[in-house]
Amino acid sequence: MEIKYKYIVIEDEPLIRKNTIKKIEGLGLPLTLVGEASNGVDGILLIEKEMPNIVITDIRMPQCDGLEVARFISRKKPDIKVVILSGFDEFAYAKEAMRNQVHNYILKPVKAEELKDTLVEIVNHFDAKSQKIRTLYEKEHDLSQEEIYTLMVNYFKENYMQDISLSSLADSIGFSQEYLGKVFKKIACQSPSKYLTELRMNEAKQLLTQCIDLEVGKIGERVGYRDSFYFSRVFKANVGMTPSEYRLNGK
Protein backbone atom coordinates (compact mmCIF):
# COMPACT_ATOMS: atom_id res chain seq x y z
CA MET A 1 0.00 0.00 0.00
CA GLU A 2 1.38 3.40 -1.00
CA ILE A 3 2.17 5.73 1.87
CA LYS A 4 0.51 9.15 1.63
CA TYR A 5 2.41 12.07 3.16
CA LYS A 6 0.43 14.95 4.65
CA TYR A 7 1.02 18.58 3.67
CA ILE A 8 -0.42 22.00 4.42
CA VAL A 9 -0.16 25.31 2.55
CA ILE A 10 0.17 28.65 4.34
CA GLU A 11 -0.40 31.67 2.06
CA ASP A 12 -2.27 34.93 2.65
CA GLU A 13 -3.35 35.39 -0.97
CA PRO A 14 -6.34 33.05 -1.57
CA LEU A 15 -5.83 32.77 -5.33
CA ILE A 16 -2.13 31.98 -4.98
CA ARG A 17 -2.89 29.46 -2.23
CA LYS A 18 -5.51 27.68 -4.33
CA ASN A 19 -3.25 27.72 -7.38
CA THR A 20 -0.35 26.25 -5.39
CA ILE A 21 -2.58 23.44 -4.11
CA LYS A 22 -3.85 22.82 -7.64
CA LYS A 23 -0.28 22.52 -8.93
CA ILE A 24 0.64 20.08 -6.18
CA GLU A 25 -2.47 17.97 -6.74
CA GLY A 26 -1.58 17.77 -10.44
CA LEU A 27 1.89 16.34 -9.81
CA GLY A 28 0.68 12.82 -9.10
CA LEU A 29 2.78 12.47 -5.94
CA PRO A 30 1.76 10.50 -2.83
CA LEU A 31 0.67 13.66 -0.99
CA THR A 32 -2.60 14.53 0.69
CA LEU A 33 -3.72 18.03 1.69
CA VAL A 34 -4.77 18.19 5.35
CA GLY A 35 -5.32 21.94 5.68
CA GLU A 36 -4.55 25.49 4.57
CA ALA A 37 -4.06 28.77 6.40
CA SER A 38 -3.91 32.45 5.49
CA ASN A 39 -1.34 33.54 8.08
CA GLY A 40 1.49 32.15 10.18
CA VAL A 41 -0.42 32.09 13.47
CA ASP A 42 -3.22 29.95 12.04
CA GLY A 43 -0.57 27.95 10.22
CA ILE A 44 1.23 27.02 13.44
CA LEU A 45 -2.08 26.01 15.05
CA LEU A 46 -2.78 23.86 12.00
CA ILE A 47 0.64 22.25 12.26
CA GLU A 48 -0.05 21.39 15.91
CA LYS A 49 -3.43 19.96 14.97
CA GLU A 50 -2.58 17.94 11.87
CA MET A 51 1.12 17.09 12.35
CA PRO A 52 1.88 17.24 8.60
CA ASN A 53 5.00 15.85 6.97
CA ILE A 54 5.44 18.91 4.74
CA VAL A 55 4.69 22.61 5.20
CA ILE A 56 4.64 24.92 2.18
CA THR A 57 4.54 28.54 3.27
CA ASP A 58 4.70 32.06 1.88
CA ILE A 59 7.38 34.24 3.49
CA ARG A 60 5.55 37.56 3.96
CA MET A 61 2.23 37.26 5.75
CA PRO A 62 0.28 39.17 8.43
CA GLN A 63 0.67 38.35 12.16
CA CYS A 64 3.46 35.81 11.70
CA ASP A 65 5.61 35.38 8.58
CA GLY A 66 7.01 32.27 6.95
CA LEU A 67 10.38 32.58 8.66
CA GLU A 68 8.66 32.53 12.06
CA VAL A 69 6.81 29.40 10.99
CA ALA A 70 10.13 27.86 9.91
CA ARG A 71 11.74 28.77 13.26
CA PHE A 72 8.85 27.16 15.13
CA ILE A 73 9.17 23.96 13.11
CA SER A 74 12.95 23.88 13.49
CA ARG A 75 12.58 24.13 17.28
CA LYS A 76 9.49 22.04 17.91
CA LYS A 77 8.88 19.73 14.92
CA PRO A 78 12.26 19.15 13.22
CA ASP A 79 11.00 16.11 11.29
CA ILE A 80 8.66 18.32 9.24
CA LYS A 81 10.06 19.45 5.88
CA VAL A 82 9.53 23.14 5.03
CA VAL A 83 9.35 24.74 1.59
CA ILE A 84 9.23 28.54 1.44
CA LEU A 85 7.64 30.39 -1.48
CA SER A 86 8.70 34.00 -1.90
CA GLY A 87 8.36 36.89 -4.29
CA PHE A 88 11.57 38.36 -2.86
CA ASP A 89 14.90 37.28 -4.30
CA GLU A 90 16.90 38.54 -1.34
CA PHE A 91 19.94 36.77 0.07
CA ALA A 92 19.06 37.68 3.67
CA TYR A 93 15.72 35.84 3.42
CA ALA A 94 17.30 32.76 1.86
CA LYS A 95 20.11 32.75 4.44
CA GLU A 96 17.65 32.91 7.33
CA ALA A 97 15.56 30.17 5.73
CA MET A 98 18.57 27.87 5.43
CA ARG A 99 19.51 28.60 9.04
CA ASN A 100 16.15 27.16 10.04
CA GLN A 101 16.67 24.03 7.95
CA VAL A 102 14.19 24.96 5.23
CA HIS A 103 14.37 22.33 2.50
CA ASN A 104 14.04 24.77 -0.38
CA TYR A 105 13.40 28.46 -1.09
CA ILE A 106 11.36 28.85 -4.30
CA LEU A 107 10.76 32.18 -5.98
CA LYS A 108 7.35 33.22 -7.24
CA PRO A 109 5.77 32.79 -9.67
CA VAL A 110 6.27 29.14 -8.77
CA LYS A 111 7.15 26.89 -11.67
CA ALA A 112 5.49 23.48 -11.58
CA GLU A 113 8.73 21.71 -12.52
CA GLU A 114 10.74 23.30 -9.69
CA LEU A 115 7.95 22.57 -7.22
CA LYS A 116 7.80 18.96 -8.43
CA ASP A 117 11.57 18.47 -8.13
CA THR A 118 11.49 19.79 -4.58
CA LEU A 119 8.55 17.64 -3.50
CA VAL A 120 9.99 14.54 -5.15
CA GLU A 121 13.18 15.04 -3.10
CA ILE A 122 11.11 15.27 0.07
CA VAL A 123 8.97 12.24 -0.77
CA ASN A 124 12.13 10.23 -1.52
CA HIS A 125 13.52 11.28 1.87
CA PHE A 126 10.44 10.05 3.71
CA ASP A 127 10.31 6.86 1.60
CA ALA A 128 13.94 6.09 2.49
CA LYS A 129 13.21 6.70 6.17
CA SER A 130 10.20 4.37 6.05
CA GLN A 131 12.26 1.72 4.27
CA LYS A 132 14.94 1.94 6.94
CA ILE A 133 12.33 1.32 9.63
CA ARG A 134 10.87 -1.59 7.66
CA THR A 135 14.35 -3.05 7.26
CA LEU A 136 14.88 -2.89 11.01
CA TYR A 137 11.60 -4.71 11.53
CA GLU A 138 12.62 -7.40 9.04
CA LYS A 139 15.97 -7.98 10.74
CA GLU A 140 14.12 -8.94 13.92
CA HIS A 141 16.47 -10.98 16.11
CA ASP A 142 19.58 -9.69 14.33
CA LEU A 143 19.03 -6.30 15.98
CA SER A 144 21.54 -5.10 18.55
CA GLN A 145 20.28 -3.70 21.84
CA GLU A 146 21.07 -0.16 20.62
CA GLU A 147 19.05 -0.75 17.44
CA ILE A 148 16.16 -2.15 19.46
CA TYR A 149 16.22 0.92 21.70
CA THR A 150 16.31 3.28 18.68
CA LEU A 151 13.44 1.37 17.09
CA MET A 152 11.39 1.68 20.27
CA VAL A 153 12.04 5.41 20.63
CA ASN A 154 11.11 6.04 16.99
CA TYR A 155 7.99 3.92 17.37
CA PHE A 156 6.86 5.87 20.43
CA LYS A 157 7.62 9.27 18.84
CA GLU A 158 5.73 8.42 15.68
CA ASN A 159 2.74 6.73 17.34
CA TYR A 160 2.32 8.33 20.79
CA MET A 161 -0.95 9.92 19.65
CA GLN A 162 -2.40 6.45 19.08
CA ASP A 163 -3.59 3.89 21.62
CA ILE A 164 -0.29 1.97 21.73
CA SER A 165 1.55 -0.10 24.30
CA LEU A 166 4.79 -2.01 24.71
CA SER A 167 2.93 -5.22 23.98
CA SER A 168 1.80 -3.92 20.58
CA LEU A 169 5.40 -3.11 19.66
CA ALA A 170 6.59 -6.48 20.97
CA ASP A 171 4.07 -8.27 18.76
CA SER A 172 5.26 -6.27 15.75
CA ILE A 173 8.97 -7.08 15.98
CA GLY A 174 8.95 -10.53 17.50
CA PHE A 175 10.54 -9.91 20.89
CA SER A 176 8.97 -10.50 24.27
CA GLN A 177 7.56 -7.53 26.14
CA GLU A 178 9.83 -8.34 29.07
CA TYR A 179 12.96 -8.32 26.92
CA LEU A 180 12.07 -4.99 25.30
CA GLY A 181 11.44 -3.45 28.72
CA LYS A 182 14.79 -4.72 29.98
CA VAL A 183 16.70 -3.33 26.99
CA PHE A 184 14.98 0.05 27.16
CA LYS A 185 15.53 0.45 30.89
CA LYS A 186 19.18 -0.53 30.55
CA ILE A 187 19.87 2.24 27.99
CA ALA A 188 17.38 4.95 29.04
CA CYS A 189 17.42 4.31 32.80
CA GLN A 190 13.63 4.42 32.80
CA SER A 191 10.83 2.11 31.76
CA PRO A 192 9.25 2.33 28.29
CA SER A 193 5.87 3.19 29.84
CA LYS A 194 7.44 6.07 31.80
CA TYR A 195 9.13 7.37 28.64
CA LEU A 196 5.87 7.17 26.66
CA THR A 197 3.97 8.98 29.40
CA GLU A 198 6.59 11.76 29.57
CA LEU A 199 6.47 12.09 25.78
CA ARG A 200 2.70 12.44 25.88
CA MET A 201 2.74 14.87 28.80
CA ASN A 202 5.30 17.15 27.12
CA GLU A 203 3.21 17.27 23.97
CA ALA A 204 0.05 17.87 26.01
CA LYS A 205 1.68 20.80 27.84
CA GLN A 206 2.59 22.41 24.51
CA LEU A 207 -0.93 21.99 23.17
CA LEU A 208 -2.48 23.37 26.36
CA THR A 209 -0.48 26.60 26.17
CA GLN A 210 -0.38 27.04 22.39
CA CYS A 211 -3.87 25.88 21.36
CA ILE A 212 -6.03 27.81 23.82
CA ASP A 213 -9.29 27.09 21.99
CA LEU A 214 -8.72 23.35 21.93
CA GLU A 215 -10.74 21.47 24.55
CA VAL A 216 -8.84 19.50 27.17
CA GLY A 217 -10.53 16.29 26.08
CA LYS A 218 -9.42 16.84 22.48
CA ILE A 219 -5.86 17.44 23.62
CA GLY A 220 -6.01 14.16 25.53
CA GLU A 221 -7.10 12.39 22.36
CA ARG A 222 -4.22 13.90 20.41
CA VAL A 223 -1.66 12.53 22.82
CA GLY A 224 -3.10 9.04 23.02
CA TYR A 225 -5.79 9.19 25.72
CA ARG A 226 -9.32 8.47 24.51
CA ASP A 227 -10.74 8.85 28.03
CA SER A 228 -10.59 12.52 29.07
CA PHE A 229 -10.96 11.70 32.77
CA TYR A 230 -8.08 9.26 32.64
CA PHE A 231 -5.98 11.83 30.75
CA SER A 232 -6.63 14.44 33.45
CA ARG A 233 -5.74 11.95 36.18
CA VAL A 234 -2.47 10.94 34.49
CA PHE A 235 -1.62 14.59 33.77
CA LYS A 236 -2.12 15.62 37.39
CA ALA A 237 -0.11 12.66 38.66
CA ASN A 238 2.84 13.62 36.46
CA VAL A 239 2.64 17.43 36.34
CA GLY A 240 1.16 18.19 39.76
CA MET A 241 -1.96 19.96 38.52
CA THR A 242 -4.88 19.28 36.21
CA PRO A 243 -4.68 20.22 32.51
CA SER A 244 -7.09 23.13 33.09
CA GLU A 245 -5.00 24.42 36.00
CA TYR A 246 -1.84 24.14 33.92
CA ARG A 247 -3.45 26.16 31.13
CA LEU A 248 -4.70 28.84 33.55
CA ASN A 249 -1.27 29.16 35.12
CA GLY A 250 0.17 29.82 31.66
CA LYS A 251 3.12 27.53 32.17
Side-chain angles (χ1 to χ4, degrees), residues 1 8 24 26 51 53 59 76 88 94 104 187 195 217 232:
M1 184 176 67
I8 67 172
I24 294 171
M51 293 295 291
N53 303 104
I59 199 165
K76 303 289 187 179
F88 304 93
N104 201 4
I187 296 176
Y195 174 84
S232 294

Side-chain angles (χ1 to χ4, degrees), residues 66-107:
L67 291 177
E68 284 297 326
V69 172
R71 291 188 195 104
F72 167 81
I73 292 172
S74 179
R75 292 194 310 268
K76 303 289 187 179
K77 315 286 181 183
D79 290 336
I80 295 176
K81 292 295 183 182
V82 181
V83 177
I84 282 183
L85 310 180
S86 175
F88 304 93
D89 186 9
E90 296 184 20
F91 177 71
Y93 282 126
K95 184 178 179 180
E96 179 66 17
M98 295 306 111
R99 185 180 293 122
N100 287 286
Q101 301 178 354
V102 170
H103 185 82
N104 201 4
Y105 185 96
I106 301 177
L107 292 177

